[in-house]
Amino acid sequence: MNIASFILYCIVASVCAGNHHYRVSGFVTWVVCGSIFRKFLQQQHRLINIFMALFLVYSAVMVSGIL
């Protein structure tokens, strides 16, 4: 993603979000972090998938109240 498309994407997201600035700042943070970690996440996709699956199971257990 080049800088021009990133800026355009942020502007469009800002307009769509309206007056909810927290949505815009959260979205921009998500895009920036995704851009920064993109290469790492692509290289380590199997390890990331394992960790995400474990966190998903942990969350399900905590929400269900089993433990």
Side-chain angles (χ1 to χ4, degrees), residues 12-34:
V12 170
S14 299
V15 170
C16 291
N19 291 328
H20 303 288
H21 297 294
Y22 62 91
R23 289 183 190 171
V24 175
S25 63
F27 174 75
V28 171
T29 302
W30 184 267
V31 170
V32 169
C33 289

